[in-house]
Amino acid sequence: HEWDAADKVPIDRNLQTHNETSTLIPFIAPNALTLQPLIDATITEAETQQIINHIREPRFGDVFHSDVGFVGPPPYGKQFISNIDPPGASDQKYADYYAANQNRQRVIYTGTNDGIMHMLYADGVDAGKEVWGFLPDEILPSLKTIVLDNKHTYTVDGRLAAGDIWWNKAGGGTNQWGTLLVFGLRQGGNAYYAMDITQVDSTPNLLWKFIDP
């Protein structure tokens, strides 16, 4: 079944960005005063709303250097690898993780140069539909160039990788299996971002941001 993501962008998009504390902020016009200093403190509230409304339009930016990453259920066969679970993995085995996520919705992740990391449904009746879009804080100043200056620039243009790993997912010193997405920005900025994508949630789950000096 063929589809074009550009034809599947919903009118009422679920776009999120964040501040320096990684707190998610809905990327909507009513939040213009909150988003203004993150984009450019010198622009007006009206210009901020113009930028937000332009980015929220139902279209898909260009994919240039970003990957198109597919994430489905965890691989079935990995549970039979004798040393797949790290020493001390008594709280949750890979087999338990697989059982809990074997019917996980298949999705696609990709970055576009309108400043968005997208999650799209990969199959089913909603194949190609954008579930959410995440705008990393490092690229927010570039939105002024895209919208107000009407110039193309690179934003979410780096490589991405996703995989099942064993880490302190829930905090408190308890490690467990989960699925992690890590991506960079290439010429869009020096930051790398990690997201917990274990669950196909309605909003992104940002874990951390790392600045490459």
Side-chain angles (χ1 to χ4, degrees):
H1 178 67
E2 295 183 359
W3 48 264
D4 187 336
D7 298 330
K8 298 279 189 170
V9 181
I11 300 277
D12 186 18
R13 303 179 74 178
N14 178 17
L15 299 184
Q16 303 281 335
T17 187
H18 65 108
N19 58 22
E20 66 279 359
T21 64
S22 298
T23 300
L24 290 181
I25 303 170
F27 195 78
I28 55 177
N31 286 338
L33 287 178
T34 300
L35 296 171
Q36 180 181 340
L38 301 176
I39 297 172
D40 188 328
T42 67
I43 62 177
T44 66
E45 181 182 0
E47 289 173 323
T48 305
Q49 290 177 334
Q50 179 184 348
I51 291 171
I52 295 169
N53 291 333
H54 179 90
I55 297 299
R56 290 191 57 82
E57 290 180 4
R59 56 170 166 243
F60 211 73
D62 63 288
V63 181
F64 194 16
H65 295 100
S66 179
D67 301 286
V68 177
F70 171 83
V71 176
Y76 171 76
K78 286 177 67 174
Q79 62 188 310
F80 302 110
I81 300 175
S82 59
N83 61 348
I84 187 65
D85 291 306
S90 58
D91 295 330
Q92 184 200 47
K93 303 289 188 182
Y94 183 87
D96 301 324
Y97 166 68
Y98 169 77
N101 295 280
Q102 61 182 315
N103 296 315
R104 184 168 61 190
Q105 172 74 48
R106 293 168 172 83
V107 293
I108 289 170
Y109 297 90
T110 193
T112 53
N113 281 313
D114 53 356
I116 302 173
M117 172 59 68
H118 306 261
M119 184 175 83
L120 317 171
Y121 288 126
D123 55 14
V125 296
D126 289 326
K129 181 181 178 181
E130 179 187 80
V131 184
W132 51 251
F134 172 72
L135 290 87
D137 64 333
E138 285 291 308
I139 64 84
L140 294 179
S142 297
L143 301 182
K144 175 179 178 291
T145 301
I146 294 171
V147 180
L148 300 186
D149 300 335
N150 195 28
K151 295 180 180 178
H152 181 276
T153 189
Y154 297 106
T155 54
V156 186
D157 195 47
R159 306 296 303 272
L160 64 82
D164 301 313
I165 68 167
W166 172 259
W167 93 96
N168 189 7
K169 181 174 179 295
T174 301
N175 292 333
Q176 61 187 108
W177 285 97
T179 311
L180 195 69
L181 172 72
V182 178
F183 66 93
L185 306 175
R186 195 175 173 271
Q187 292 186 38
N190 296 329
Y192 291 84
Y193 297 83
M195 310 183 81
D196 181 355
I197 58 170
T198 307
Q199 305 296 326
V200 179
D201 294 322
S202 59
T203 55
N205 186 358
L206 177 64
L207 293 177
W208 49 255
K209 165 190 169 184
F210 169 74
I211 298 289
D212 182 3

